[in-house]
Amino acid sequence: MSIIILGIESSCDDTSAAVIRDGVLLSNVIASQEVHAEFGGVVPELASRAHQQNIVPVVDTALKRAGVRKDELTAIGFTRGPGLLGSLLVGTSFAKGMSLGLRIPIVDVNHLHGHVLSHFIRREENDPVPEYPYICLLVSGGNSQIILVRNYNDMEILGQTIDDAAGEAFDKCAKVMGLPYPGGPHIDRLAAEGDATRFKFARPHIPGLDYSFSGLKTSFLYTLRDELKKDPDFISKNQADLAASLQKTIIDILMDKLDKAVKQTGVKTVAIGGGVSANSGVRDAVAGYCSRRGLTAFIPPRVFTTDNAAMVAIAAYYKYLDRDFCRYDAVPYARVQV
Ligand code: KG4
């Protein structure tokens, strides 16, 4: 009999539901919340309310698009954390209620595992998936980690940022340039037209596989402050070169440590995940690095880089196969490591 999983994601500002049958994706619906744009960042209270509004229609649409009836579902997977507590409560409570109504199990998913396992989302039966072990560079707005993935439930953080996440580095520098939130995609777009060698920003010297973005952020800020004193139009005149130079520095910091991790572990497969893995420069850098070294690269389709329920459904699918279900007294967690 087929195993049909409904996945629910509500950890931050995207309400998403997805349906997979035997590991193959049937639907993935995402309602993004525009309400935060004018505040320059996600407002937790507004996010929870928007999830409440969105969750029923999003789940309903995901089931309809998948051509699956509620009573055909085998289990419900939901993001238990990390994330915003109010947002997580909406998805968690919804999953519990629906599972009780349908008398099917619930499976809790660590959001970060979802990103790491997003490469196992198959749209066709024969789509390739990574072989264990592989290294995943997980780069999002809240996390920046190099993870050794030995199995779906056996992951080890080899290195991570000691301050800002990669996405924060993009967003905070973009904010200094006067770009809207989130700034990452704007930097990406501008960088395509710019000269990445034009400006030099600080690079950290952190031992081991950890890295840091705070020095870069400060040096970016000081460069702009000094140049604006000489020319008030400095930013607008140099937008593309600033974006390209910033993006290159962030990528160089990430790639330096990724290379060390690959050499240290001897893995043959490298994957990326999280919102920043949508970045064109990051994607090209990882693909180029892997092809030069004869490694297999897994670069996710852009729709699976940011928050989505397909990754929650696939992570829940593997836990379901292990009968690793969740109890009804489980509460969401705001923070957790891989
Ligand atoms: O994974 P995600 O959707 O949310 C978290 O769980 O954190 O990641 C959001 C982050 C934001 O910082 C956003 O600026 C960044 O991903 N991002 C990008 C790009 N698209 C999204 N950063 C650089 N280039 C992009 N194209």
Side-chain angles (χ1 to χ4, degrees):
M1 210 173 75
S2 285
I3 296 172
I4 306 179
I5 309 275
L6 169 69
I8 293 173
E9 157 64 30
S10 71
S11 64
C12 189
D13 60 339
D14 293 302
T15 319
S16 180
V19 179
I20 58 168
R21 179 191 285 131
D22 298 326
V24 177
L25 185 67
L26 301 181
S27 67
N28 182 43
V29 177
I30 305 174
S32 299
Q33 304 176 359
E34 305 302 330
V35 63
H36 308 286
E38 64 178 291
F39 299 99
V42 177
V43 184
E45 191 83 3
L46 295 179
S48 317
R49 288 182 202 195
H51 283 304
Q52 280 286 5
Q53 284 177 324
N54 293 342
I55 190 107
V56 171
V58 164
V59 168
D60 194 46
T61 309
L63 288 168
K64 283 201 177 104
R65 283 196 196 156
V68 163
R69 293 188 318 270
K70 285 197 288 286
D71 60 18
E72 291 177 299
L73 292 172
T74 314
I76 301 173
F78 67 97
T79 302
R80 187 168 164 195
L84 302 171
L85 208 66
S87 291
L88 290 163
L89 275 167
V90 178
T92 303
S93 306
F94 185 90
K96 286 182 186 179
M98 190 166 175
S99 99
L100 283 167
L102 294 170
R103 296 171 188 275
I104 54 174
I106 39 171
V107 182
D108 59 324
V109 171
N110 175 337
H111 179 80
L112 303 175
H113 284 193
H115 276 303
V116 174
L117 297 174
S118 59
H119 303 279
F120 290 87
I121 304 167
R122 285 176 293 139
R123 290 195 269 204
E124 306 285 338
E125 196 77 44
N126 295 322
D127 281 352
V129 296
E131 273 180 30
Y132 298 116
Y134 66 95
I135 276 185
C136 181
L137 176 67
L138 173 60
V139 273
S140 72
N143 294 277
S144 242
Q145 298 167 337
I146 297 174
I147 300 162
L148 177 62
V149 190
R150 295 193 194 89
N151 207 325
Y152 83 89
N153 58 359
D154 183 3
M155 302 183 191
E156 182 187 347
I157 298 172
L158 301 178
Q160 59 190 324
T161 176
I162 57 167
D163 38 59
D164 287 347
E168 277 178 287
F170 271 106
D171 296 342
K172 287 180 179 171
C173 292
K175 191 172 180 187
V176 178
M177 285 175 68
L179 297 169
Y181 177 87
H186 296 281
I187 298 286
D188 192 357
R189 178 178 45 80
L190 288 166
E193 313 288 322
D195 174 2
T197 60
R198 175 86 191 286
F199 299 103
K200 298 270 175 281
F201 304 115
R203 280 151 202 261
H205 299 284
I206 315 278
L209 296 178
D210 287 340
Y211 43 93
S212 154
F213 290 110
S214 70
L216 161 64
K217 205 177 57 189
T218 311
S219 109
F220 188 81
L221 186 71
Y222 285 176
T223 303
L224 261 57
R225 186 195 60 186
D226 295 345
E227 295 294 337
L228 282 169
K229 279 185 197 151
K230 295 181 237 162
D231 177 3
D233 297 326
F234 174 76
I235 295 178
S236 55
K237 285 180 187 162
N238 296 284
Q239 256 196 339
D241 291 349
L242 282 167
S245 304
L246 169 69
Q247 181 169 298
K248 180 173 183 332
T249 314
I250 293 175
I251 293 170
D252 287 350
I253 293 171
L254 293 171
M255 292 308 293
D256 176 48
K257 297 297 173 137
L258 181 65
D259 177 47
K260 285 199 174 100
V262 167
K263 287 179 180 149
Q264 196 172 298
T265 55
V267 296
K268 297 280 174 267
T269 302
V270 172
I272 53 175
V276 177
S277 68
N279 182 269
S280 322
V282 171
R283 298 166 82 84
D284 290 350
V286 172
Y289 171 80
C290 287
S291 103
R292 284 193 299 281
R293 296 196 149 262
L295 306 170
T296 307
F298 277 85
I299 314 280
R302 280 196 165 81
V303 63
F304 300 142
T305 58
T306 44
D307 295 344
N308 66 87
M311 68 183 197
V312 177
I314 197 72
Y317 172 69
Y318 289 111
K319 283 185 88 172
Y320 177 86
L321 294 180
D322 266 358
R323 319 298 285 174
D324 186 357
F325 304 142
C326 176
R327 290 165 47 125
Y328 284 102
D329 59 0
V331 287
Y333 40 73
R335 289 176 194 283
V336 73
Q337 293 244 321
V338 158

